[in-house]
Amino acid sequence: VQFNPTYQAGSALKVLTKERVLHSDLGKIFIGYELYKHQEEAIRLGAAGNEFIVTSGTGSGKSLTYMATIFSHILNNQEAVKDKNLSVIVYPMNALINSQNEEIKKYERNYLKSSLPTGVTYNEELKTLDEQIKDLKEIVGEIFPIKYAQYTGQEDEETREAIKRNPPHILLTNYMMLELIMTRGGKDVEIRNAILDNVKFLVF
C-alpha cells in the first residue's frame, strides 16, 4: 500500500493577476496554472515583499512560488531593473540548475507564443525547445522581458563574458560557485559587484 499525497487547492494564477497581486503578463508565461494553497500563500507573501520558506514535498511546485514572485517584480519594474542582477537562485547540484533552466525556457516559449500576431500559428512538432524559441524570436523578436543565465563553472569563456557585460535578472548557480564568486578576485569581480549592488532575491 502506498499513499499518494495531494495538496489543498488554492486560487488559479489568473485570480492573482486579476487582483493585481501579480503582473498581468504572468498569464502569458505560466499558462493554465491552478495553484495549490501553499503556493498561493507563498506567492502572496513574496509579492508583498516578505520572505518565505516552502517545506512541501517533491513535485509540489516550490519553484513556481519564487519564480512567480521574481518574474512579477521584474515585469513591474522593467525600466528600473534593466541590466541588473536582481536574483540569485542557489542549488545543491548542477542537474537541478539545468532542469530549472529548461523550465524557464518553457516559460519564455509560452510568452513568445502568446505574442504571435493574430492569425499566425506556429508548429512546434519535432523541434527542440531551443529551436522553438529561436523560430519564435524570428517572428516576434527578442521580446521576453526576463533575462536569465546559469553560472556553474562549466560555461565557456564567451558565456561568462556575456554574463559580465550584461548581468541577467536571474542567475542560477550552485553553492560552491557562489562561494567562489563572492570570495575570489579576478574574473568574477564584475559578477560579484552586480550581485552586491543590485540583489533583491536570494533563493536557496
Side-chain angles (χ1 to χ4, degrees):
V1 176
Q2 181 176 351
F3 289 103
N4 185 17
T6 188
Y7 298 94
Q8 187 174 346
S11 301
L13 192 132
K14 62 184 178 183
V15 171
L16 299 190
T17 59
K18 193 172 183 179
E19 292 179 10
R20 298 188 178 181
V21 173
L22 295 174
H23 193 279
S24 59
D25 277 359
L26 286 189
K28 299 178 183 179
I29 297 172
F30 302 110
I31 295 173
Y33 274 83
E34 301 288 329
L35 300 175
Y36 294 127
K37 188 171 185 290
H38 67 269
Q39 290 177 303
E40 179 184 353
E41 290 174 345
I43 289 170
R44 286 184 183 276
L45 284 169
N50 297 307
E51 298 178 0
F52 61 85
I53 299 173
V54 181
T55 59
S56 56
T58 301
S60 63
K62 292 186 290 296
S63 63
L64 182 65
T65 62
Y66 55 81
M67 283 300 175
T69 299
I70 294 168
F71 281 20
S72 187
H73 176 80
I74 294 168
L75 290 166
N76 281 322
N77 301 277
Q78 289 186 55
E79 280 304 311
V81 302
K82 192 175 181 182
D83 298 326
K84 289 184 179 179
N85 190 320
L86 297 174
S87 317
V88 179
I89 305 179
V90 187
Y91 296 89
M93 60 184 73
N94 289 347
L96 294 173
I97 296 173
N98 296 334
S99 176
Q100 186 69 80
N101 197 52
E102 288 299 299
E103 286 302 307
I104 300 177
K105 286 181 182 179
K106 291 176 186 176
Y107 300 146
E108 180 174 9
R109 179 194 57 191
N110 291 347
Y111 186 87
L112 297 173
K113 281 181 71 175
S114 68
S115 303
L116 288 169
T118 304
V120 176
T121 58
Y122 175 70
N123 183 7
E124 60 191 41
E125 191 175 352
L126 302 179
K127 294 191 176 182
T128 67
L129 188 54
D130 287 335
E131 289 170 340
Q132 293 171 41
I133 291 172
K134 182 176 180 290
D135 290 347
L136 288 165
K137 283 181 177 179
E138 289 177 358
I139 300 171
V140 299
E142 297 265 359
I143 61 169
F144 190 54
I146 295 155
K147 296 190 299 181
Y148 57 96
Q150 59 183 69
Y151 196 67
T152 64
Q154 298 176 340
E155 292 74 28
D156 57 33
E157 195 60 35
E158 183 181 354
T159 302
R160 291 184 184 214
E161 285 302 316
I163 292 172
K164 291 176 191 176
R165 288 193 307 271
N166 297 296
H169 296 123
I170 299 172
L171 186 69
L172 310 173
T173 191
N174 59 61
Y175 65 94
M176 292 179 66
M177 197 67 214
L178 180 62
E179 181 181 11
L180 289 174
I181 290 170
M182 302 309 291
T183 57
R184 71 181 177 185
K187 57 187 176 181
D188 290 326
V189 169
E190 295 97 327
I191 299 174
R192 177 167 72 241
N193 290 343
I195 292 171
L196 291 175
D197 291 345
N198 303 299
V199 68
K200 182 173 178 63
F201 301 98
L202 182 59
V203 181
F204 282 93

